[in-house]
């Protein structure tokens, strides 16, 4: 997995209390991509498999996308 996969998908800068700044990260890019892959697979009525197989495939899709984005990204 690329380090980019551990970065937040939708980082949000929060200001709480005077002079207290914090970052709320939520899901990582990897988790967000796996979620999208899982949603697509669950919406495919022709796809068979166990819940475990769906989860494993979703993570594989996410990792493949991150690797391809890393490979093709321009500095």
């Amino acid at each position: 997995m690329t380090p980019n996969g551990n970065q937040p998908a939708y980082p949000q800068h929060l200001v709480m209390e005077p002079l207290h700044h914090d970052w709320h990260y939520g899901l990582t890019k990897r988790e967000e991509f796996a979620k999208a892959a899982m949603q697509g697979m669950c919406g495919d009525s022709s796809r068979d498999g166990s819940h475990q197989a769906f989860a494993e495939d979703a993570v594989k899709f996410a990792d493949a996308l991150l690797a391809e984005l890393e490979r093709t990204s321009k500095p």
Side-chain angles (χ1 to χ4, degrees):
M1 176 185 29
T2 65
N4 188 30
N6 290 325
Q7 295 299 313
Y10 306 104
Q12 305 232 350
H13 185 230
L14 302 176
V15 178
M16 305 161 63
E17 301 177 19
L19 303 176
H20 176 76
H21 298 268
D22 198 8
W23 286 92
H24 174 72
Y25 294 111
L27 296 177
T28 65
K29 291 177 184 179
R30 184 177 190 234
E31 292 165 337
E32 187 68 29
F33 293 158
K35 180 181 87 170
M38 178 69 86
Q39 289 170 330
M41 289 186 290
C42 288
D44 181 1
S45 61
S46 67
R47 184 177 165 92
D48 283 331
S50 69
H51 293 99
Q52 184 65 34
F54 274 51
E56 289 170 1
D57 286 348
V59 171
K60 288 176 187 174
F61 279 117
D63 288 344
L65 176 56
L66 286 164
E68 184 62 14
L69 289 170
E70 188 70 25
R71 187 184 73 77
T72 60
S73 69
K74 298 179 182 177

